[in-house]
Amino acid sequence: MSAAPAAGAALVQLQGVSARLGPVHALRGIDLELRRGERLALVGANGSGKTTLLRLLQGLLAHDGLRRVEHDGQGRPPRSAMVFQRPFVFSLSVRLNMRLALWLARVPREQRRVRGDEALARVGLQRLAARPARQLSGGQQQRLALAQAWALRPDLLLLDEPTASLDPGAKREVEALIEAIAAEGVTIVISTHNLGQAKRLATRVAYLEGGRLVVDLPVDRFFNDVLPAPAANFLKGELPWP
C-alpha cells in the first residue's frame, strides 16, 4: 500500500443516522466522520449495510439523523462520485459513454472532450475510445466507470465492491488505479468482502453488522487489536491468510 496522506479537514459527518429500505431497518444510529485524504474500507457480511451506507453518503437515500457535508473556503460543498459493483454502459462507444457521463453531471460542453480524453488516458483506455463499450471486458468496464468518476474531480469517491467479479489481473489493475486516485488526495470509501484488499488499500476499516457500525479503527489496529466478538468472529471466518 502506498503511503497515505495525512487526514485533513472533515468532509462528511453522519450523526445518529438511520435508514429503512421498505420494512428493513438497513442502518441504525450511524456516527461517522470522513476526513480529506482518508481511505475507509467497509467490511461485513452481505446485508450488513455497506452498500446502503455508500448510497447514503452519496445523498441517494432518505434517512433520519444528521448528514452534514462541509464546505471549503469558497463555500463549495465537496463533490462526490460513486462507482457501482456492476457498472452500466450504454450501447455507445467508450468515448461517448465518457462524454455522456460528463453531460449528465452538467460539465460545461467546452470541457467535456478534454476532460473525457484525459480521464480515458488516466485509466489506460484511450486506445479503445472508439470501441463499443459493451465489448469491453469486465475489468475494462470497471476502469471506464472509474474514469467517469475521476473526470468529475470528486473530493469523495465511493466504491461498491469494485473488483468483486474481476479476475486477478484485472483486480490488480483496478486496485492500482484506486491507489493512484487516493494519492491525489481524494477521500476513498470502498465496500469489500476481500479483507486483503482492505488491508492493502485502507487507512481505516469499519465493520458493520445488522446496519450498525460496530468497529471503526485505523487499519493496523483493526487487524491487530482485540475486537468485539462479532468483528473478531468475522475476521476468523474471512481472513485469506493464516
Side-chain angles (χ1 to χ4, degrees):
M1 183 179 70
S2 60
L11 193 70
V12 178
Q13 293 178 314
L14 304 181
Q15 296 178 12
V17 166
S18 298
R20 288 184 176 274
L21 298 177
V24 178
H25 213 150
L27 294 174
R28 301 170 182 267
I30 300 289
D31 293 325
L32 179 71
E33 180 178 80
L34 295 174
R35 305 186 75 81
R36 293 182 185 272
E38 288 188 310
R39 310 174 191 179
L40 175 64
L42 304 177
V43 301
N46 288 334
S48 60
K50 302 187 299 297
T51 297
T52 304
L53 181 53
L54 288 174
R55 291 177 60 202
L56 192 146
L57 289 168
Q58 180 67 1
L60 299 176
L61 190 65
H63 61 275
D64 298 320
L66 177 64
R67 172 183 173 271
R68 184 169 65 199
V69 295
E70 302 298 332
H71 291 65
D72 61 15
Q74 287 73 46
R76 180 183 66 84
R79 285 185 293 263
S80 63
M82 184 167 175
V83 175
F84 296 89
Q85 182 175 345
R86 294 179 178 84
F88 179 82
V89 295
F90 290 92
S91 298
L92 301 168
S93 69
V94 169
R95 178 179 288 114
L96 289 179
N97 268 272
M98 188 72 243
R99 292 184 188 175
L100 179 59
L102 293 171
W103 174 73
L104 289 170
R106 300 182 180 179
V107 173
R109 182 175 183 176
E110 63 274 13
Q111 297 181 24
R112 291 175 207 155
R113 180 182 64 80
V114 172
R115 284 172 64 170
D117 290 348
E118 285 178 349
L120 291 179
R122 183 74 179 77
V123 303
L125 291 179
Q126 67 272 40
R127 291 185 298 174
L128 302 178
R131 178 176 296 184
R134 290 187 175 176
Q135 292 182 11
L136 298 178
S137 68
Q140 289 168 338
Q141 289 189 12
Q142 197 65 270
R143 284 156 58 192
L144 174 57
L146 283 169
Q148 291 170 326
W150 181 80
L152 302 182
R153 298 173 182 167
D155 302 291
L156 174 63
L157 180 59
L158 306 167
L159 306 170
D160 188 13
E161 297 281 355
T163 64
S165 59
L166 304 184
D167 63 55
K171 188 173 297 186
R172 286 192 295 270
E173 290 177 350
V174 170
E175 283 192 7
L177 280 170
I178 293 169
E179 283 198 303
I181 292 170
E184 298 172 0
V186 178
T187 300
I188 304 285
V189 183
I190 177 172
S191 71
T192 180
H193 282 96
N194 185 327
L195 293 174
Q197 183 174 80
K199 196 169 189 179
R200 288 189 297 273
L201 296 180
T203 58
R204 283 168 62 194
V205 181
Y207 170 75
L208 288 92
E209 182 172 285
R212 298 185 186 279
L213 184 56
V214 179
V215 176
D216 180 1
L217 288 172
V219 62
D220 289 342
R221 290 187 56 195
F222 184 86
F223 287 103
N224 293 294
D225 282 11
V226 176
L227 301 179
N233 291 335
F234 177 79
L235 283 180
K236 288 176 184 178
E238 296 290 336
L239 274 174
W241 57 83

